[in-house]
Amino acid sequence: MEASKVNQLKLFIQQCDSNPALLQDPALKFFRDYLEKLGAKLPASAYGKGESAKKTEAKDSFVDESDDDMPELEEQFGPSSTSPKVPEETASDDEVVESEVELDNEGVIEPDNDPPQKMGDPSIEVTDEKRDEAQTAKSKAMEAMADGDLDEAVNHLTEAIECNPTSAIIYATRASVFVKMKKPNAAIRDANAAIKINPDSAKGYKWRGMARAMLGHWEEAAKDLHLASRLDYDEEISAVLKKVEPNVHKIEDHHRKYERLRREKDERKKERERQRRRAEAQAAYEKAKKQEKASTCKPCGATGGCSGGMPGGFPGGMPAGGMPGGFPGGMPAGGMPAGGMPGGFPGGMPGDVDMSKILNDPELMAAFSDPDVMTALQDVMKNPANLAKYQANPKIAPVIAKMMGKFAGK
């Protein structure tokens, strides 16, 4: 860009800066929109009547699964170079939505919604005479089918079924007529009846499979046709399977693809959860380390701080661990008062105590070798209020009372 034009642009921006109302000019709306697109916040005077700043839409539509606690931990301790990073959820982690499968639906028809056809009463007794009547009606139906009169064929087959409702072959035959009439639902009802009577009815599975193919129920159709072919193979079944099976393969591939995508999504979610837990554990560990470091006394290295007590313990026989923190102070004459001994030496062992009085006292030194006494003393050192627990203890109370007497200079 030429220097003169750059200077003109600079002058224009300076004028807008000093007088934002210039941007109300409709001719400059493109420039104002450009500034807003860059994220600029313009003053109210830059807009005319009825105008306002455009609301910025959220860029991310998905929900971040990271814990609300994690930012607080980082504010306290700062980011840790050793803490595992939790991967952010991306758009690919949204709910898996299956696409439509492109199938060859040539020959698929709308389902027939006619009232159910008449079915036989399986509870009636079928006599030889009824069987003969059923066979006669079936023969008439076959003649009608040969003449192309399918409605007449259905009527004769219905008569045959009423005479002999226990014949699977008659139901299967009427199912074949319904397939030719493009009434797949009626065909399926008759095929179901045939299979119920004879679970090995090859014709029942054949015509049900063909009816299901007419409805586009490819997987169910393939299952029926394969079973019919195993029971009684014929060329008509093979021809229909050549159309059905490619669609079934596409559906199976489609299912496998989306099952894999859902598994991968679940694995990513589980991995994010594992890393989140590791990050929380690492943050908690670092927090504990910092708190421990903050509470450690630099001069003596003791955890919890030391308030000027006697580092190094009692020379000449005090068991390991010593008695840091001192004892609650002051034993009034006459022994321990009821309710414990308030007060104490918050600063540890008083500096003006003659330690030789304690170290040269054989009774105290003998008491210090008793584990029960030392456990009680350590308990009182941790929390002076625990002194009340030992007021009535005949072994512990006299030792503490005698030590308090030494502190008091008795």
Side-chain angles (χ1 to χ4, degrees):
M1 184 181 290
E2 297 177 2
S4 60
K5 292 183 179 180
V6 172
N7 290 332
Q8 290 175 2
L9 178 60
K10 185 184 295 185
L11 179 62
F12 170 71
I13 292 175
Q14 289 174 350
Q15 291 176 344
C16 290
D17 186 40
S18 61
N19 184 16
L22 291 173
L23 296 175
Q24 294 182 11
D25 188 345
L28 295 177
K29 185 177 182 300
F30 76 97
F31 181 65
R32 191 177 63 196
D33 292 343
Y34 174 71
L35 294 176
E36 290 177 339
K37 186 177 180 181
L38 294 178
K41 294 183 179 180
L42 303 179
S45 58
Y47 300 92
K49 292 183 178 180
E51 293 182 326
S52 61
K54 294 181 179 179
K55 293 183 179 179
T56 305
E57 295 182 356
K59 294 183 179 179
D60 298 328
S61 59
F62 60 88
V63 179
D64 189 0
E65 291 185 352
S66 60
D67 279 6
D68 294 335
D69 294 339
M70 296 307 293
E72 297 178 3
L73 292 172
E74 289 190 359
E75 288 174 7
Q76 293 179 24
F77 306 116
S80 170
S81 58
T82 60
S83 298
K85 294 183 178 179
V86 180
E88 294 182 357
E89 187 174 356
T90 62
S92 62
D93 293 322
D94 290 342
E95 185 66 28
V96 176
V97 179
E98 293 192 23
S99 60
E100 294 291 333
V101 188
E102 294 183 5
L103 302 173
D104 179 7
N105 288 319
E106 183 181 356
V108 175
I109 64 174
E110 292 294 324
D112 52 305
N113 297 314
D114 298 337
Q117 64 271 30
K118 289 183 179 180
M119 310 295 278
D121 182 0
S123 64
I124 67 171
E125 180 181 357
V126 180
T127 62
D128 291 340
E129 182 181 356
K130 288 292 184 181
R131 284 191 177 88
D132 292 341
E133 291 178 8
Q135 191 61 35
T136 301
K138 179 185 174 186
S139 298
K140 293 180 181 179
M142 301 304 290
E143 292 175 3
M145 289 174 63
D147 294 338
D149 192 347
L150 300 181
D151 288 328
E152 186 67 17
V154 168
N155 292 334
H156 288 304
L157 288 168
T158 301
E159 180 183 351
I161 288 171
E162 289 176 339
C163 292
N164 183 11
T166 64
S167 172
I169 191 62
I170 298 178
Y171 276 111
T173 303
R174 191 170 70 170
S176 70
V177 178
F178 282 130
V179 168
K180 290 180 174 62
M181 296 175 70
K182 298 189 182 303
K183 294 185 177 183
N185 281 331
I188 290 172
R189 286 191 289 269
D190 275 350
N192 287 340
I195 293 169
K196 184 176 181 180
I197 295 169
N198 177 17
D200 293 327
S201 173
K203 297 298 183 184
Y205 289 112
K206 172 184 176 179
W207 296 115
R208 190 172 72 177
M210 289 188 173
R212 285 175 166 174
M214 293 171 68
L215 292 171
H217 301 167
W218 305 113
E219 293 172 292
E220 296 89 342
K223 183 178 178 181
D224 280 342
L225 293 170
H226 279 297
L227 182 54
S229 183
R230 286 196 295 271
L231 292 169
D232 185 15
Y233 175 82
D234 67 44
E235 293 294 334
E236 192 174 14
I237 295 174
S238 178
V240 177
L241 277 173
K242 288 180 180 179
K243 176 178 176 60
V244 170
E245 286 186 324
N247 283 338
V248 173
H249 294 327
K250 289 180 182 179
I251 294 171
E252 290 174 346
D253 290 343
H254 178 83
H255 290 336
R256 281 193 293 269
K257 171 186 174 182
Y258 283 94
E259 285 174 4
R260 175 179 57 80
L261 291 176
R262 279 188 283 268
R263 283 197 306 271
E264 291 174 354
K265 176 180 178 292
D266 290 341
E267 285 301 320
R268 287 194 298 270
K269 184 176 180 179
K270 291 177 182 177
E271 180 60 24
R272 283 197 306 273
E273 179 62 17
R274 284 192 291 267
Q275 295 196 24
R276 183 186 68 81
R277 290 180 180 178
R278 284 197 293 268
E280 287 180 345
Q282 181 68 24
Y285 171 72
E286 291 178 0
K287 178 180 179 180
K289 278 181 63 178
K290 292 202 174 189
Q291 289 178 341
E292 181 181 358
K293 185 177 179 181
S295 62
T296 300
C297 177
K298 293 183 179 179
C300 64
T303 302
C306 59
S307 307
M310 293 182 58
F314 288 106
M318 183 62 71
M323 293 189 291
F327 289 89
M331 174 69 75
M336 273 187 283
M341 302 182 68
F345 291 110
M349 191 72 75
D352 57 351
V353 174
D354 186 355
M355 292 305 301
S356 63
K357 293 181 179 181
I358 295 176
L359 299 176
N360 293 327
D361 190 315
E363 291 183 8
L364 286 178
M365 295 308 295
F368 292 157
S369 64
D370 187 325
D372 292 338
V373 173
M374 290 310 301
T375 300
L377 293 177
Q378 290 174 359
D379 186 27
V380 173
M381 290 178 211
K382 291 178 183 177
N383 185 2
N386 291 339
L387 186 61
K389 296 194 299 184
Y390 304 101
Q391 290 181 16
N393 191 308
K395 182 191 291 187
I396 308 300
V399 176
I400 295 178
K402 192 166 187 178
M403 290 185 67
M404 291 298 111
K406 298 291 186 184
F407 295 159
K410 294 182 180 179

